[in-house]
Amino acid sequence: MAVREVLRMGDPRLLEQAQPVEKFNTRELHALISDMRDTMAALDGAGLAAPQIGVGLQLVIFGVDDNPRYPDADAVPQTVLINPELIRIDDEMEDGWEGCLSVPGMRGLVPRFLRLRYRGFDEFGKVVERTAEGFHARVVQHECDHLIGVLYPMRIRDMRQFGFTEELFPGEDLGDD
Ligand code: NI
């Protein structure tokens, strides 16, 4: 168990396509997920993708119980999602503010699909399949983007809606990433 260093935007490893996990329920996989959980908890994140700690595998974790960084957000189930596939339901998009542990101290307004289906596996190889909406759907899209080398600033349509959290939301304690 260890808190790992999170790569920051500019590190070329964040731009790579991640590779599928081939073996489930291994000691290595459980150790990796344990480190990712520790790292996400230490930094108070809503999600973390393996490439963010320099591991180029298609593995993300996410979940929000009651996060001060996302005071208006609905709870999102604590999830391990491996080799994910996102399935479009319709074309409806919604703008929402996002931050990222790889882009500390900043926020941007990002359009995402309002609802979608996602499918993948947990660490034991059991199928995970859900329909998600709103903040839950946003978190899944943000994390899965990390697996194809996409960081949220690349999705911002109006770069005037991108800046330092302290300047965008003065007086609100949203943490520093
Ligand atoms: Ni991120």
Side-chain angles (χ1 to χ4, degrees):
M1 302 238 300
V3 174
R4 303 271 288 262
E5 186 191 349
V6 176
L7 307 183
R8 293 190 302 167
M9 185 169 66
D11 189 306
R13 289 172 287 179
L14 290 171
L15 303 177
E16 289 172 5
Q17 165 73 46
Q19 300 304 307
V21 171
E22 288 179 351
K23 287 184 182 162
F24 295 89
N25 199 19
T26 64
R27 185 189 302 240
E28 293 77 14
L29 186 61
H30 291 303
L32 172 60
I33 291 165
S34 173
D35 282 0
M36 287 175 65
R37 285 199 176 109
D38 290 348
T39 305
M40 183 173 121
L43 299 173
D44 207 13
L48 187 70
Q52 290 183 275
I53 58 166
V55 177
L57 290 174
Q58 293 176 20
L59 160 57
V60 303
I61 64 172
F62 55 84
V64 178
D65 301 319
D66 182 18
N67 190 324
R69 287 180 59 206
Y70 301 93
D72 303 323
D74 302 327
V76 177
Q78 295 293 339
T79 302
V80 171
L81 188 62
I82 297 172
N83 302 347
E85 182 189 352
L86 303 188
I87 303 131
R88 188 181 291 202
I89 293 177
D90 58 39
D91 290 336
E92 195 175 346
M93 310 282 289
E94 184 178 63
D95 284 332
W97 290 97
E98 295 186 17
C100 178
L101 298 175
S102 294
V103 192
M106 305 196 82
R107 287 282 192 285
L109 195 64
V110 183
R112 298 286 187 187
F113 290 107
L114 178 60
R115 56 185 77 84
L116 52 78
R117 248 185 117 59
Y118 61 92
R119 192 187 296 148
F121 302 91
D122 72 6
E123 63 269 51
F124 302 99
K126 183 166 165 278
V127 171
V128 176
E129 189 167 7
R130 293 195 191 117
T131 301
E133 192 171 329
F135 185 66
H136 183 181
R138 175 172 300 278
V139 169
V140 172
Q141 289 168 87
H142 176 116
E143 295 311 327
C144 290
D145 261 357
H146 280 295
L147 305 181
I148 55 169
V150 173
L151 299 168
Y152 81 82
M154 303 175 193
R155 299 279 192 200
I156 296 172
R157 285 198 181 127
D158 178 357
M159 288 304 284
R160 291 172 298 188
Q161 309 275 22
F162 178 50
F164 292 95
T165 310
E166 288 173 358
E167 309 299 339
L168 287 163
F169 304 102
E172 289 182 46
D173 182 18
L174 296 174
D176 41 86
D177 25 27

